[in-house]
Amino acid sequence: MRISKRNSGSAATAALLSLIIVVLVVATVYVFASNLPWAVRPAPITSVGAEIDHQYGLTLAVAGTVFILSQLGLAFAVFKFRDHGQKAHFTRGSNTLEAIWTTATIVLFLGLGLMGHKAWAEVRFTPAAPDAIQVEVTGNQFVFNFRYPGPDGKFGKLDPKQISASTGNPLGIDANDPAGKDDIVVPTLTVPVNHEVNLLIRSQDVIHNFYVRELRIQQDAMPGMVIPLHFTANTIGQYEVVCTQLCGLGHSRMHSYLNVVSDADYDAFLKQQAAGQ
Ligand SMILES: [Cu+2]
């Protein structure tokens, strides 16, 4: 067989591949930059929420920079070392480089994790202030119920046998426990602005979740557990509470509202509810 043309190998394919990689990088950066999380998500209403946003921004910036540099590096290598029909030569790689980028990755991941740990752990692993308002949150298929201890400041005992939503006792508050007589059970969560609130999150059946975007809080409700979590909302308003665990057929309808109100409105809410119990 006669070879009429010089063999140029797969140079054209390699050039095309590196071009595609560059286009993909530009397209990805464009999608992220035009939908920046802080441009499309609602503003946080807690100081911890602001810390969490800052942490997300930092993680995105670091991960985004690494992504852009590594992909452009890949495109460069594919183009520079493309096949012209030359003889390939074998290299063994570099242990020093391997050690450097493995260490850099560990430092980055651990560093971001340690920095983020504080914002995440603050609402979970440190106890709420003693004067925090206690509210019990109970998820069941497919509603939220919020219970306040009432004027005596004490939650009544719960007895699963007495659960009867149709007769007005969805949580099964024990009729024989005097502490439960003044308990307030409502389908929406009302809290005063700038006061610490300690939530006690429970589930009556399957795994649910308590999620409020503006609080930057998302916590599973586990059957058999009471999970405490505290926050201090700093902006009056109404915010949606949603269940973010696929908890059954009615999951998409499982939502409620968090009302952050002034002290006067909160007192009025408690009085009104106490009168109605
Ligand atoms: Cu649910």
Side-chain angles (χ1 to χ4, degrees):
M1 199 176 87
R2 196 166 59 90
I3 298 169
S4 61
K5 265 180 19 186
R6 185 180 163 266
N7 179 8
S8 64
S10 53
T13 317
L16 184 64
L17 178 59
S18 57
L19 181 68
I20 290 173
I21 293 172
V22 172
V23 170
L24 282 177
V25 170
V26 172
T28 309
V29 170
Y30 174 76
V31 168
F32 270 82
S34 58
N35 289 292
L36 280 176
W38 47 89
V40 290
R41 71 192 166 193
I45 57 167
T46 64
S47 57
V48 175
E51 275 178 53
I52 288 175
D53 280 7
H54 175 255
Q55 187 63 32
Y56 266 116
L58 191 64
T59 303
L60 185 63
V62 170
T65 307
V66 171
F67 169 78
I68 293 169
L69 292 181
S70 60
Q71 294 306 304
L72 292 183
L74 175 65
F76 173 74
V78 167
F79 185 75
K80 171 109 201 294
F81 303 108
R82 66 193 185 281
D83 169 22
H84 296 289
Q86 77 275 40
K87 255 198 157 158
H89 71 276
F90 177 77
T91 64
R92 273 191 189 283
S94 158
N95 285 340
T96 318
L97 276 178
E98 294 272 359
I100 289 174
W101 64 58
T102 306
T103 312
T105 309
I106 292 171
V107 168
L108 269 182
F109 271 84
L110 284 183
L112 286 172
L114 287 174
M115 287 173 76
H117 158 264
K118 193 178 164 283
W120 185 85
E122 207 169 298
V123 300
R124 290 174 167 84
F125 296 154
T126 56
D131 65 341
I133 292 164
Q134 307 286 327
V135 186
E136 184 193 74
V137 181
T138 305
N140 80 18
Q141 290 170 318
F142 297 98
V143 290
F144 287 103
N145 276 297
F146 301 94
R147 178 160 72 130
Y148 297 75
D152 68 352
K154 273 190 219 150
F155 288 112
K157 280 200 201 75
L158 295 177
D159 173 12
K161 286 195 217 88
Q162 298 183 43
I163 293 174
S164 171
S166 53
T167 59
N169 191 6
L171 299 178
I173 296 172
D174 188 348
N176 305 313
D177 183 4
K181 292 275 187 283
D182 62 350
D183 285 9
I184 296 164
V185 179
V186 281
T188 53
L189 174 59
T190 299
V191 303
V193 69
N194 295 328
H195 271 272
E196 190 166 40
V197 177
N198 192 39
L199 300 178
L200 303 161
I201 301 177
R202 316 168 49 242
S203 167
Q204 273 181 337
D205 39 41
V206 300
I207 300 173
H208 295 280
N209 188 289
F210 173 90
Y211 178 40
V212 179
R213 289 185 305 170
E214 291 82 354
L215 293 178
R216 303 289 192 265
I217 281 178
Q218 188 172 32
Q219 175 59 53
D220 276 358
M222 306 291 291
M225 287 177 79
V226 177
I227 300 172
L229 195 151
H230 52 91
F231 68 88
T232 306
N234 56 26
T235 313
I236 289 176
Q238 187 176 61
Y239 312 96
E240 195 175 22
V241 178
V242 290
C243 172
T244 53
Q245 283 289 4
L246 193 52
C247 56
L249 274 181
H251 162 68
S252 61
R253 282 185 282 113
M254 183 164 173
H255 75 133
S256 177
Y257 290 99
L258 160 67
N259 298 303
V260 179
V261 299
S262 67
D263 283 349
D265 285 351
Y266 182 67
D267 289 341
F269 157 79
L270 285 182
K271 277 208 190 82
Q272 187 199 345
Q273 293 301 329
Q277 292 287 311

